[in-house]
Amino acid sequence: MTEAPDSPVWFITGCSTGLGRALAEHVLARGHRLVATARRPDALADLAAAHPAQCRVRALDVADAAQVAATVSAAAAAFGRLDFVVNNAGYGLIGALEECDEAQIARNFEVNLFGALRVIRAALPLLRAQRRGHFVTISAAAVIANYAGFSIYGASKWALEGASEALAAEVRPLGLKVTIVQPGPFRTDFIARSLERASGHLADYDATSGKFRSYLETMTGRQPGDPLRAAAAIFTAVTAANPPFRLVLGKYAHDKARRKLPAAARELDATGELGLATDFPTGP
Ligand SMILES: NC(=O)c1ccc[n+]([C@@H]2O[C@H](COP(=O)([O-])OP(=O)(O)OC[C@H]3O[C@@H](n4cnc5c(N)ncnc54)[C@H](OP(=O)(O)O)[C@@H]3O)[C@@H](O)[C@H]2O)c1
C-alpha cells in the first residue's frame, strides 16, 4: 500500500524483534508513516529499504536520556508531526525480590519505567502543540495480577500504568489520548533473550519464583499469543474513533482479568466494614 502524504506518523521503541517489529510492519502495511527505533538500527534496514517514503530508522536506547531527546526531536522533524508514540521497548527480570541485586533492579526500572516516561516527556511538547496525539504503552499481564519471581518487572509495569492513568487525565483536555496494552504470553524473544535472570539464588524460593522461572522456560516458542495478531489488534484499537484506555491481549490475560474482577469485589466486601469505619463520623 502506498502512503497518503498526510497519513498518520508513528514512533515506536524496540522495533528490532517481537511486538515492536510486528507493529512496525503492520503500520507500514496499512500505509501509515513510521519512525522505527532500535538499539541496533541495522536490524531495521530492511523496513526502511522496503518502504523508503514511509519509514525512517533511528538508533534509540531508551536508557540513554540524551539519545531519547535527540531521537524524539529528529523523529518529529522527519515527517513534521507525530501521531502515535508507542513505548514498547522493555525486558523482564526473573527472580525473587531477594535474589535480584540492586543494579539489576535499577536497570530494569531504568528501561521499562524511566525509559518510557522519558520518551513520553520528550514527545509531550510537540503533541501538546499539535493538540493531537496518542501515547500507546506496552505493559504486561503481570499488572492484572503478579507472579512470584516478577516483583521488579511487574513493579516497573505497574508504575508505568500508574503514571499513564494520571497522564491520561492530564492530557485528555488537551486533545491527547493514552492506551495501555496488557499482553499475556506472546511468541517473541521475550523469554529467550529479553528475560534477565536474578544474580542470586536462594533455595528457599525454588518452590515459588523458581517454579515460575522453570515454567516460563518451558513456554519458549510455545506462547499462545501471535505477535502479528497483537499488532493488528493494537492498530485497530488505537485508530478507532473511541480508542480504549486498556487493551488486554490474548485469552490467557483475558481469563486472568476476568478472575481478578470478582476477586477484587469479594475482597472489598470482606474488608469493607473495617475500612469504611475509618472515616470521621458525619452528621449529628
Ligand atoms: N512477549 C510477551 O510475552 C510479553 C508479555 C507482556 C509484555 N511484554 C512486553 O512487550 C514488550 C516487547 O517485548 P517482546 O515480547 O516483543 O520481546 P522482544 O522480542 O525481546 O523485544 C523486546 C524489544 O525491547 C528492546 N529493548 C530492550 N531494552 C531496550 C532499551 N534499553 N532501549 C531500546 N530498546 C530496548 C529490544 O531491543 P534489542 O533487540 O536491542 O534487545 C527489543 O526490540 C516489552 O515491553 C515486554 O515487557 C511482552
Side-chain angles (χ1 to χ4, degrees):
M1 185 185 287
T2 316
E3 93 284 10
D6 62 346
S7 64
V9 180
W10 294 64
F11 177 89
I12 309 177
T13 66
C15 291
S16 62
T17 58
L19 296 174
R21 172 77 192 202
L23 187 59
E25 289 175 3
H26 191 84
V27 307
L28 289 169
R30 296 298 295 266
H32 289 201
R33 293 174 290 176
L34 168 67
V35 179
T37 71
R39 287 192 287 192
R40 294 169 292 105
D42 52 311
L44 308 177
D46 60 322
L47 281 186
H51 305 275
Q54 270 172 275
C55 182
R56 302 284 179 274
V57 167
R58 296 273 182 266
L60 181 59
D61 180 336
V62 298
D64 180 337
Q67 198 179 33
V68 168
T71 303
V72 170
S73 153
F79 295 111
R81 68 189 232 214
L82 291 176
D83 298 290
F84 296 97
V85 175
V86 185
N87 270 301
N88 164 73
Y91 73 95
L93 174 58
I94 180 79
L97 182 60
E98 200 182 345
E99 294 174 319
C100 302
D101 66 48
E102 286 277 338
Q104 290 184 306
I105 294 169
R107 203 163 47 240
N108 199 246
F109 267 70
E110 189 59 45
V111 173
N112 294 354
L113 175 62
F114 297 125
L117 297 183
R118 209 170 263 144
V119 168
I120 292 169
R121 284 167 49 79
L124 269 168
L126 173 69
L127 268 61
R128 279 192 297 105
Q130 292 176 169
R131 286 294 192 265
R132 188 191 60 230
H134 196 145
F135 292 105
V136 182
T137 297
I138 308 299
S139 177
V143 180
I144 299 169
N146 208 357
Y147 317 83
F150 257 1
S151 58
I152 299 307
Y153 172 68
S156 71
K157 297 287 192 182
W158 279 65
L160 188 53
E161 290 211 15
S164 300
E165 279 193 4
L167 175 72
E170 290 163 6
V171 299
R172 192 176 303 120
L174 309 176
L176 310 186
K177 295 168 185 164
V178 176
T179 294
I180 291 170
V181 180
Q182 293 179 328
F186 274 75
R187 211 170 295 174
T188 67
D189 285 357
F190 184 73
I191 301 175
R193 71 180 183 89
S194 297
L195 188 60
E196 186 179 337
R197 274 64 178 162
S199 63
H201 171 249
L202 294 166
D204 276 350
Y205 297 111
D206 283 352
T208 51
S209 71
K211 194 171 163 199
F212 180 54
R213 173 178 160 170
S214 307
Y215 169 69
L216 281 183
E217 283 164 354
T218 64
M219 282 185 76
T220 310
R222 299 194 303 123
Q223 300 95 322
D226 174 355
L228 298 179
R229 288 183 165 83
I234 294 168
F235 184 92
T236 299
V238 303
T239 56
N242 290 307
F245 175 65
R246 265 200 188 76
L247 173 65
V248 177
L249 292 182
K251 183 174 186 311
Y252 174 92
H254 259 260
D255 289 350
K256 205 172 177 204
R258 291 261 173 232
R259 283 194 301 274
K260 181 178 181 174
L261 296 174
R266 275 197 305 275
E267 189 165 53
L268 202 54
D269 288 344
T271 57
E273 214 173 305
L274 193 63
L276 283 170
T278 57
D279 285 351
F280 287 109
T282 52

